[in-house]
Amino acid sequence: MTAGVGEQVTDADLVAGYRRDPELFTAVHDRYFRDIYLYVAGRLDTQVAEDIAAETFLLAFDRRDRFDPDKGGLRPWLFGFATNLVARHRRKEARHYKALARLDPAPVVEGHENRVLTSVSAQRMQPQLAMALASLNGGERDVLLLLALGELSYDEIAQALGISIGTVGSRLSRARAKIHARIDSSLIDSALKGKETR
């Protein structure tokens, strides 16, 4: 499972390696743990994220022989496990967003650089965004957060969730419309102006 100088080990190389020697599955963990952890932490919280990310890799290790590289990559396959595990915690996730929505936004501090203004604008939007996320159904929230937190492509999201790319697009469209309807557009405009002036 070694690549030449300057060459990166591909997912196919990783799969071939761990099929010969299961201990080499640690390379999959090393490559993707951070992505899975950050995705789960964004959906739930950091305390649960470590456990769910670890459970994701345990499931993947147990099912490593079932992975079919012809059906997609390791990354969306792992995100599929993580999303299913998050679904088990969905009620907690909804409570998390509702709790964030109840938080008072941080007070605006005058006289700081545009980067600080953007951050403050984002903090002021947090309660509305949290309520908007809580209002989405599970499928819409999964697609939106795989895109936003996991940074998966439409194709990877479809692979992770076992749905068509068209379904990804329609769920994402519905999610965006619901969020846009719930968030005060003046806060969005304020946040965007801060970014434009950087």
Side-chain angles (χ1 to χ4, degrees):
M1 196 173 73
T2 60
V5 176
E7 293 178 26
Q8 184 172 351
V9 176
T10 66
D11 281 358
D13 296 332
L14 291 176
V15 172
Y18 77 63
R19 285 197 172 142
R20 285 190 310 273
D21 181 359
E23 289 186 21
L24 295 177
F25 193 82
T26 57
V28 175
H29 177 276
D30 293 346
R31 180 175 286 183
Y32 293 115
F33 183 84
R34 184 174 187 274
D35 292 345
I36 298 297
Y37 171 81
L38 291 173
Y39 167 67
V40 176
R43 292 198 66 171
L44 299 173
D45 61 50
T46 55
Q47 294 171 340
V48 176
E50 185 86 26
D51 293 339
I52 290 180
E55 192 174 347
T56 296
F57 284 91
L58 284 172
L59 282 171
F61 181 78
D62 287 344
R63 298 176 186 171
R64 67 191 180 280
D65 292 333
R66 297 183 201 165
F67 174 74
D68 183 356
D70 293 333
K71 292 184 178 178
L74 283 170
R75 189 169 185 260
W77 184 65
L78 293 166
F79 272 94
F81 286 125
T83 300
N84 289 335
L85 291 169
V86 165
R88 294 181 189 169
H89 292 76
R90 197 161 268 150
R91 281 182 288 205
K92 184 175 182 176
E93 180 184 37
R95 286 192 306 267
H96 172 71
Y97 289 129
K98 287 176 183 171
L100 286 175
R102 288 190 299 269
L103 295 176
D104 289 330
V108 178
V109 179
E110 298 293 330
H112 288 271
E113 296 179 11
N114 290 328
R115 189 167 39 102
V116 173
L117 291 174
T118 300
S119 175
V120 168
S121 295
Q123 287 177 348
R124 291 175 70 194
M125 286 179 59
Q126 187 175 15
Q128 286 185 18
L129 181 58
M131 281 306 294
L133 287 171
S135 74
L136 300 177
N137 70 41
E140 293 163 349
R141 194 167 40 242
D142 287 344
V143 168
L144 180 68
L145 295 177
L146 280 168
L147 179 73
L149 298 177
E151 299 181 359
L152 271 66
S153 67
Y154 280 33
D155 187 47
E156 290 174 321
I157 294 168
Q159 291 171 35
L161 299 177
I163 59 177
S164 71
I165 292 177
T167 301
V168 170
S170 64
R171 286 182 185 177
L172 187 57
S173 178
R174 285 193 307 269
R176 286 177 172 159
K178 287 179 181 179
I179 287 177
H180 184 69
R182 286 186 161 261
I183 295 180
D184 180 358
S185 61
S186 66
L187 290 176
I188 295 172
D189 293 342
S190 174
L192 291 176
K193 283 181 184 174
K195 285 187 177 186
E196 289 171 358
T197 57
R198 275 199 278 174

